[in-house]
Amino acid sequence: MHISGGMRTTAVAAVLGAVIMPLAACGGSDDGGGKKSNGQAGDGSRQARTVDLKRIPDVGDKLQKQIPANSRQVVAVYGQGKDSAKSTIVLYTKSGSTWDKTRSWEGHNGKKGWTTDHNEGDKRSPVGVFTLSDSGGVLDDPGAKLPYTQSSGFQAPHYWAKSHWNDFDYVIAIDYNRVKGTSPNDPTRPQGQSKGGSIWLHMDHGSGTSACVSLSKSGMQYLLRTLDPDRHPVVVMGDKADLKA
């Protein structure tokens, strides 16, 4: 099903069976230290702007060529290292033929780092370029431009550590092994279960995830209100070495 423009779909409930796998794939309790993101803008972000970039910085030709020509919004996730759970998330916006660095946040990725061959349960985030098509969460729509599904079905299980209970208050689906135009918690995986799925941008709990990318609540709100289907947003993500390849 194709959802055009800024149309939003709202669902007040989700079938329980449709959300168990996505939550298990994306979340999970760990022994994180609960450190908060640093920022200079009062909302966990850095607002320093760099203009007239000819390409996304520190991204090599291999991935740069995978960014669609019509994309005018790129969320770049710069992993600190192959086996590191720490990352920096930067939003770039294209104006004319050049890119502007508009905002950045400190965040996290998979607990064990990154992989170019993601598999279910490996605790590593997949390296690559992926479109961003759908969003949702436990909380009401904050004014998202991407289609937004609100549902209590996103709620993290309360047998997880309390620090993780709000992870999925807001989520943006990363289009890895999923069907575009569906709720982020749709369990369909076109490449099969073994390749994992339910890879999201979601709220940070201060440490690594099971495969997702996390950032502050205010950062998620900003992205939800800014990422626009008409600008064909994508995420470029990976550790620094793989990004530069």
Side-chain angles (χ1 to χ4, degrees):
M1 178 179 69
H2 175 72
I3 304 176
S4 62
M7 284 181 62
R8 295 197 271 277
T9 59
T10 303
V12 296
V15 177
L16 181 59
V19 300
I20 292 175
M21 280 190 295
L23 294 181
C26 194
S29 180
D30 60 27
D31 297 322
K35 294 182 180 179
K36 295 182 179 180
S37 299
N38 296 320
Q40 301 172 347
D43 64 351
S45 71
R46 296 187 179 91
Q47 290 180 304
R49 298 170 188 267
T50 304
V51 298
D52 296 334
L53 297 168
K54 300 301 182 183
R55 53 190 283 156
I56 304 300
D58 299 314
V59 176
D61 289 342
K62 180 180 178 181
L63 293 179
Q64 200 90 39
K65 291 175 181 177
Q66 295 179 34
I67 299 173
N70 62 353
S71 178
R72 306 189 75 78
Q73 290 178 323
V74 168
V75 178
V77 182
Y78 298 100
Q80 193 172 98
K82 185 74 173 179
D83 301 319
S84 173
K86 295 182 178 180
S87 55
T88 299
I89 298 96
V90 182
L91 175 64
Y92 296 96
T93 304
K94 197 169 191 178
S95 177
S97 61
T98 58
W99 293 94
D100 296 339
K101 179 181 177 181
T102 55
R103 197 161 293 212
S104 67
W105 303 265
E106 297 305 311
H108 293 89
N109 48 267
K111 297 168 189 168
K112 294 186 177 181
W114 297 89
T115 179
T116 56
D117 184 23
H118 177 65
N119 288 282
E120 181 77 11
D122 65 12
K123 307 299 182 184
R124 292 179 179 270
S125 298
V127 175
V129 178
F130 309 100
T131 53
L132 300 170
S133 305
D134 302 283
S135 64
V138 176
L139 301 180
D140 290 341
D141 184 350
K145 293 183 179 179
L146 295 173
Y148 187 92
T149 300
Q150 185 276 329
S151 172
S152 60
F154 284 99
Q155 179 64 58
H158 279 200
Y159 60 79
W160 289 1
K162 191 173 181 179
S163 59
H164 294 58
W165 289 1
N166 298 109
D167 281 10
F168 312 130
D169 281 359
Y170 295 123
V171 308
I172 297 171
I174 294 172
D175 292 336
Y176 169 87
N177 198 17
R178 70 177 301 269
V179 178
K180 298 180 187 179
T182 63
S183 171
N185 59 15
D186 183 283
T188 307
R189 296 182 178 178
Q191 299 175 52
Q193 283 294 122
S194 65
K195 295 302 294 178
S198 300
I199 311 296
W200 300 340
L201 296 169
H202 67 66
M203 285 170 47
D204 191 59
H205 55 248
S207 60
T209 71
S210 286
C212 296
V213 173
S214 62
L215 63 156
S216 65
K217 179 178 181 179
S218 58
M220 284 299 300
Q221 290 173 327
Y222 184 86
L223 289 178
L224 284 165
R225 293 166 180 160
T226 303
L227 295 178
D228 186 343
D230 290 339
R231 295 188 175 189
H232 309 283
V234 301
V235 61
V236 181
M237 52 195 275
D239 58 283
K240 292 180 180 179
D242 276 322
L243 284 176
K244 289 183 178 179

